[in-house]
Amino acid sequence: MTKIAIFGVGLIGGSLALCFKGKPGLTVVGYSNRQSSVEKYMKRGVVDYATTSLQEAAEGADFIFLCVPVGNLEEYVTELSKLNLKPGCIITDVGSTKASVAECGKRLELNGATFIGGHPMAGSERSGVEAASTNLFENAFYVLTPDESTSVNDLERLRNLLVHTRAHLVSVDSKSHDEIVGAISHLPHMIAVALVNQIRGYNENNGLYELLAAGGFRDITRIAASDPVVWRDILINNREVLLKLLKDWNGEVERFAVMLESLDGDAIEEAFQTAGEFRSKLPERRKGMIHSLYDCYVDVPDHPGIIGNIASELGSARINLSNINIIESREDVPGVLRLSFRTQEDLDQAMLLLDKTGYTVRQ
Ligand SMILES: NC(=O)c1ccc[n+]([C@@H]2O[C@H](COP(=O)([O-])OP(=O)(O)OC[C@H]3O[C@@H](n4cnc5c(N)ncnc54)[C@H](O)[C@@H]3O)[C@@H](O)[C@H]2O)c1
Ligand SMILES: O=C(O)C(=O)C[C@]1(C(=O)O)C=C[C@@H](O)C=C1
């Protein structure tokens, strides 16, 4: 049996556990420092076994996945370096920053074990084992950060195991990882939070802000609801990269102010034009980056019960709906519903069914 230990069975750790559990020859052990969490992991059935003993979880493991917040990663690598791990054990992590943990894994003597950093580029604003899903990593990119000291054989063993996630594996050096992911993930999270807090401030004096906030605001701010502790650690860990990115961001904001002050309509058009072109080239269906789910949009008349009707149509056809959002709905004006599914197959079936039922549905 190949023993896989998962430290921190939350959104990411739980989703990995679900990818591995029940696969022939694999057994999955969950570790938490809290008894109540261990009980929850067992109750939800995401692991074969769970324990609060770090030693029990780690010893004899062929693979150890550290899925705790970034601020706790180095402390766990250090704790593991003090144990008698199985020779050839691969320690990996899923942290959203890679340079500091990779440096720690390299610096410490791991007594026959190896550290290879990892980061699945998939996730959600939700957290905890309750949000874990078998399909979270499907078609997403999963970054590995081996270095010159990583053996080809160890890397291959980890890659072979990660096949169960159905993600696309890519290798990147840890410094480039932090620069790129800082720009495409950490900066957007800061912007979303700053934007929500700006509007929250206005809303304190006038509740209409909250009431009128529709599709645009919701789309750009979904990630502002992400876990505060997880994101505190990510931002602090990648602060040098982020301080530089924030300077560049200030430049972008300033450019807009200049365009408005000088009534430069051409420049505004061009800004939207170039942004639209770049965005439309982004590959669709990459979960965790732009699309976290498989979505379609349905035009609906604004009358009571319509959402219930659509949900029960899908339910009767055994199509699993994972989310439903009202994008727009005003009196006497048709609204738009966004329906989200976890798989392409569910999306295709739902679109076919709703089209047959007479709804206008599009992607
Ligand atoms: N959320 C995302 O979208 C996302 C995506 C990719 C990677 N990550 C990375 O994955 C890691 C986990 O994030 P998540 O979103 O799964 O968070 P989460 O809060 O859902 O899960 C974290 C888990 O770690 C446990 N934990 C916290 N502190 C611990 C400690 N000191 N010792 C043991 N267990 C502890 C928690 O109880 C929880 O089960 C982070 O390093 C994060 O950067 C997150
Ligand atoms: O889709 C989301 O909600 C995410 O925040 C996922 C996301 C991202 O920014 O793309 C967040 C953090 C990760 O480390 C990787 C992926």
Side-chain angles (χ1 to χ4, degrees), residues 283-348:
E284 294 288 327
R285 301 273 158 268
R286 262 163 47 184
K287 292 203 268 170
M289 285 185 149
I290 296 295
H291 293 266
S292 55
L293 296 161
Y294 298 100
D295 293 342
C296 68
Y297 297 83
V298 190
D299 291 342
V300 284
D302 183 28
H303 70 68
I306 194 81
I307 300 182
N309 289 351
I310 290 181
S312 61
E313 290 274 2
L314 296 172
S316 316
R318 309 192 76 73
I319 301 171
N320 285 326
L321 185 60
S322 70
N323 207 350
I324 189 160
N325 286 296
I326 307 168
I327 303 289
E328 197 177 335
S329 178
R330 281 173 285 152
E331 222 175 309
D332 300 329
V333 175
V336 178
L337 280 187
R338 176 170 52 210
L339 306 179
S340 305
F341 303 88
R342 293 218 178 275
T343 65
Q344 178 71 51
E345 201 187 337
D346 280 341
L347 171 64
D348 292 343

Side-chain angles (χ1 to χ4, degrees), residues 8 10-12 33 41 67-70 76 94-96 120 122-124 127-128 230:
L11 168 72
I12 302 296
N33 53 352
Y41 303 164
C67 304
V68 294
V70 163
Y76 275 110
V94 297
S96 305
S124 115
S127 60
V230 167

Side-chain angles (χ1 to χ4, degrees), residues 17 45 51 65 72 75 118 130 140 149 156 177 211-212 232 278 280 294 299 308 336 342 353 357 362:
T51 174
F65 284 81
N72 300 106
E75 131 202 356
E130 298 78 4
S149 67
E156 207 44 34
H177 168 279
L211 206 67
L212 300 183
R232 173 200 67 194
F278 183 75
S280 66
Y294 298 100
D299 291 342
V336 178
R342 293 218 178 275
L353 176 75
T357 325
R362 61 186 177 282

